Amino acid sequence: MTTSKKAEAIDNGVNTDHLLGARGEIEEEPAKALFTWRATCEWRYGTHAVTKISDFFGFEAEQPRNKTFAVDTDHPMLFAAEDNGATPIEIVLVGLAGCLTGGLAAIAQHRGIQLRSVTSHLEGTQDLQGVLGVDEDVRNGFGGIRVSYEIDADASREDLEALVAQAQKRSAVFDILVNPTNVQIKLAAPAQSDGG
Amino acid sequence: MTTSKKAEAIDNGVNTDHLLGARGEIEEEPAKALFTWRATCEWRYGTHAVTKISDFFGFEAEQPRNKTFAVDTDHPMLFAAEDNGATPIEIVLVGLAGCLTGGLAAIAQHRGIQLRSVTSHLEGTQDLQGVLGVDEDVRNGFGGIRVSYEIDADASREDLEALVAQAQKRSAVFDILVNPTNVQIKLAAPAQSDGG
C-alpha cells in the first residue's frame, strides 16, 4: 500500500488537502498569512471575568464567525474568590493542550496515522511568592510546564514520539510559552476629549 | 475620610483581608506558595479537543474543587475545521485578559477604588507562515499583543493608569507571555512494559 493510498483510508477528521491548499495560497501571497486574533473581556465581580471571542482577520479580509465563544475566569475559593471559572494561569494550559492536540491530529492525518484516542496531562508549577509580591526574585508565572501524551493509534512508539515532537515544533502556543512576546497594555484614551 | 474607611465602603467583590492573610502565611512558610496547576486534554475529532480543569495543589495540600471546568478548542472553518471552540491562540488571550482583569479588581479594592465597569479589548497578530512551515524565520506564535482597557470608576485617569500598570506588574500570564518558560512535552511511558 502506498503512503498516498494509506492516507486516503485514514480519518482523523482533518482536511489535509484544504490545509495544503491554504499553505500554497500563502506561499504565493504572504500577506494572506497575516492574522489578527481578538478577544473582549468584561469584568463581572471580584476576580470573575468573562472573555468573548468571535471575529478575526486573516487572508486579507475580516472573517466573521457565526458564533461567539465565552470563557469564564476567576480565582479559586482558596483565595476567597467564587471559583466561577478556571484561573487564568490554568487557561494558559488549555491553550497549550488544545494547540498541541489539534496540531498532532493534523500531522497524524498528513502522515497516515489513524488516531483512536489522544489524551494529555499537563502540569504547571507556580511559586505564589511572585504574584503576591512576597519575593521580587520569584517570577509571577509558571516555574515550568510538563505535558505527557497518551496516544492510542496504529503506529510504532517511534512514530508516535516523532508525532509529538512535530506537534511541538509547529505549535503556536508552545512558541508563545518558550519565547518572549511583546505585550502592550494601556488605558484607552478618554471617549470624549475636552481639548479637541 | 481616611484610606481605611474609604476602603471599607468599596465593594469590588474581592476579599482583600483574606488575600493579605494568605500573603502573611506564605511569608512565614514559603513552601505554602508552591502550587501545581493541572489540566487534562482529550482529542475529539479533527482539530477539536476538550481540556478539563479541576483539582490543584497548593498550601502544601491537594485542593479539591467541587467542579470541573471544560473548555473546547478547535480551528476555524476557514481551515476546513468545525469551529467547535476558540482557537488555542485565542485562548491565550483569554488567559491574559482574565489575569489582568482579576488582578486589577483586587488591586482596586486594596487601593479603595470603586469599579463600575472594566472592559478590555485584546488583539494578537500572527503570521501563519510560521505554523504552516512556509518560512522558518517566522515564529509560530504571536507577533505581538495589544490590550486596551476601558474603566468606569471613581478615580482619576492617573489613578486608573497606575491601576492598569500594577495589574500588569502582578500578572502571572503577562509574565508568561513576555518571558520564556521551560516546557517539557513527551509521550508517556507505555502502560505495560514487557521488559520489566
Side-chain angles (χ1 to χ4, degrees):
Chain A
M1 185 184 276
T2 66
T3 304
S4 172
K5 278 188 184 162
K6 190 180 166 194
E8 277 173 25
I10 300 298
D11 179 14
N12 293 322
V14 178
N15 188 332
T16 312
D17 287 343
H18 185 95
L19 284 176
L20 291 174
R23 190 182 189 282
E25 280 189 59
I26 281 172
E27 275 174 326
E28 284 187 26
E29 247 184 282
K32 289 188 173 172
L34 303 176
F35 275 58
T36 301
W37 305 101
R38 305 183 188 114
T40 299
C41 177
E42 283 187 14
W43 171 64
R44 289 295 161 91
Y45 185 64
T47 49
H48 180 207
V50 180
T51 303
K52 291 182 180 172
I53 288 168
S54 184
D55 303 347
F56 58 93
F57 178 91
F59 275 86
E60 299 184 294
E62 282 298 317
Q63 301 290 345
R65 271 175 168 130
N66 59 358
K67 58 179 103 173
T68 298
F69 302 109
V71 182
D72 292 85
T73 51
D74 200 354
H75 290 178
M77 297 180 80
L78 185 64
F79 299 107
E82 291 184 352
D83 206 26
N84 286 309
T87 65
I89 201 167
E90 290 171 315
I91 290 292
V92 174
L93 296 180
V94 173
L96 178 61
C99 192
L100 292 169
T101 301
L104 192 148
I107 296 158
Q109 183 72 37
H110 190 56
R111 294 186 175 183
I113 297 173
Q114 178 65 55
L115 300 173
R116 279 185 295 268
S117 74
V118 181
T119 304
S120 55
H121 301 279
L122 296 91
E123 278 195 357
T125 56
Q126 183 189 22
D127 184 340
L128 265 65
Q129 289 184 93
V131 282
L132 291 172
V134 173
D135 186 341
E136 293 293 331
D137 292 334
V138 174
R139 70 177 293 188
N140 293 334
F142 286 120
I145 297 172
R146 289 188 305 177
V147 184
S148 177
Y149 267 94
E150 291 165 12
I151 304 174
D152 182 14
D154 292 324
S156 68
R157 181 165 177 87
E158 192 182 2
D159 283 350
L160 295 181
E161 282 173 349
L163 190 60
V164 170
Q166 186 65 14
Q168 170 180 316
K169 186 182 174 190
R170 281 280 160 261
S171 168
V173 179
F174 175 78
D175 171 44
I176 288 166
L177 292 173
V178 301
N179 294 301
T181 299
N182 184 278
V183 182
Q184 301 291 339
I185 302 168
K186 67 176 176 66
L187 186 66
Q192 295 185 337
S193 167
D194 293 330
Chain B
M1 189 185 271
T2 67
T3 304
S4 171
K5 276 187 186 161
K6 190 181 168 196
E8 277 173 29
I10 300 297
D11 179 16
N12 293 322
V14 178
N15 188 331
T16 312
D17 288 344
H18 185 95
L19 284 175
L20 291 174
R23 191 182 189 281
E25 279 189 61
I26 281 171
E27 275 175 325
E28 284 186 24
E29 248 184 284
K32 288 188 174 174
L34 302 176
F35 275 57
T36 302
W37 304 101
R38 304 183 188 112
T40 298
C41 177
E42 283 186 16
W43 171 66
R44 289 295 162 90
Y45 186 63
T47 48
H48 180 206
V50 180
T51 304
K52 292 182 179 173
I53 288 167
S54 183
D55 303 347
F56 58 93
F57 178 90
F59 276 85
E60 299 183 294
E62 281 298 317
Q63 301 289 346
R65 270 175 170 129
N66 58 359
K67 58 180 101 173
T68 298
F69 302 109
V71 182
D72 291 85
T73 51
D74 201 352
H75 290 179
M77 296 179 81
L78 184 63
F79 299 108
E82 291 184 352
D83 205 25
N84 287 309
T87 65
I89 202 168
E90 290 172 312
I91 290 292
V92 174
L93 296 181
V94 174
L96 178 61
C99 193
L100 291 169
T101 302
L104 192 150
I107 296 159
Q109 183 71 37
H110 190 55
R111 294 185 176 184
I113 297 172
Q114 179 64 56
L115 300 172
R116 279 185 295 269
S117 75
V118 181
T119 303
S120 55
H121 302 278
L122 295 92
E123 278 194 0
T125 57
Q126 183 188 24
D127 183 341
L128 265 65
Q129 291 183 92
V131 283
L132 291 172
V134 173
D135 185 343
E136 293 292 332
D137 292 332
V138 174
R139 69 175 295 188
N140 293 334
F142 286 120
I145 298 172
R146 290 188 305 176
V147 184
S148 178
Y149 266 93
E150 290 165 13
I151 304 175
D152 182 12
D154 292 324
S156 68
R157 181 163 178 90
E158 192 182 3
D159 283 349
L160 295 181
E161 282 174 348
L163 190 61
V164 171
Q166 185 66 13
Q168 171 181 315
K169 186 182 174 191
R170 281 281 160 263
S171 167
V173 179
F174 175 79
D175 171 43
I176 288 167
L177 292 172
V178 300
N179 294 301
T181 299
N182 184 279
V183 182
Q184 300 291 336
I185 302 168
K186 66 177 178 66
L187 187 66
Q192 296 184 338
S193 169
D194 293 332

